[in-house]
Amino acid sequence: SGGIGADPPACNMYVYSRVGSSEPASYTITHNGSTGAVVQILTYNLTAPTGFVDAYQITVHSNDLTNLPATAATTTVANTMIVGFFAVNTQSYTGYSIAPPSGMTERAETYSTGGTRLLVESCDVAQVSVGTTGE
């Protein structure tokens, strides 16, 4: 019974990708400060013969959950890096943690600061064969 928060407000997630041969020394991210925010930057040194994003799957749950389901996506290219992002608005609660799905490696887990507490998890796993990622 009971999950993270009681009727938590919305939690929006934005994922941006950039393909390039070099990165700037730093990034500037502007936020209006009226809500909580978390920024995670993941860097992969990979080749992408058919484009950077092969497949994606988004699942939104408005229920009070203690387990966040990882919905399957189907890849079309062999040797794909599967990257998962999970976010929860924990309101003012602290002490929660998100464990990556079985077989995936956690890359970052970050809380926002301020009154609204967002918890963001990023994880990945290499998938050799074309097909579904499972659940």
Side-chain angles (χ1 to χ4, degrees), residues 43-105:
T43 302
Y44 293 93
N45 187 12
L46 307 168
T47 59
T50 61
F52 186 72
V53 177
D54 176 38
Y56 67 91
Q57 177 63 39
I58 299 170
T59 304
V60 177
H61 295 279
S62 59
N63 298 339
D64 196 19
L65 300 174
T66 55
N67 293 300
L68 302 173
T71 307
T74 301
T75 63
T76 61
V77 178
N79 298 313
T80 298
M81 180 64 71
I82 306 298
V83 181
F85 295 98
F86 301 89
V88 170
N89 185 334
T90 64
Q91 296 179 340
S92 61
Y93 303 111
T94 60
Y96 288 102
S97 181
I98 299 175
S102 178
M104 297 187 86
T105 301

Side-chain angles (χ1 to χ4, degrees), residues 11-37:
C11 179
N12 298 314
M13 181 180 292
Y14 302 91
V15 177
Y16 299 93
S17 64
R18 181 182 182 285
V19 177
S21 59
S22 65
E23 292 293 321
S26 65
Y27 284 92
T28 300
I29 298 168
T30 304
H31 180 259
N32 66 13
S34 65
T35 61

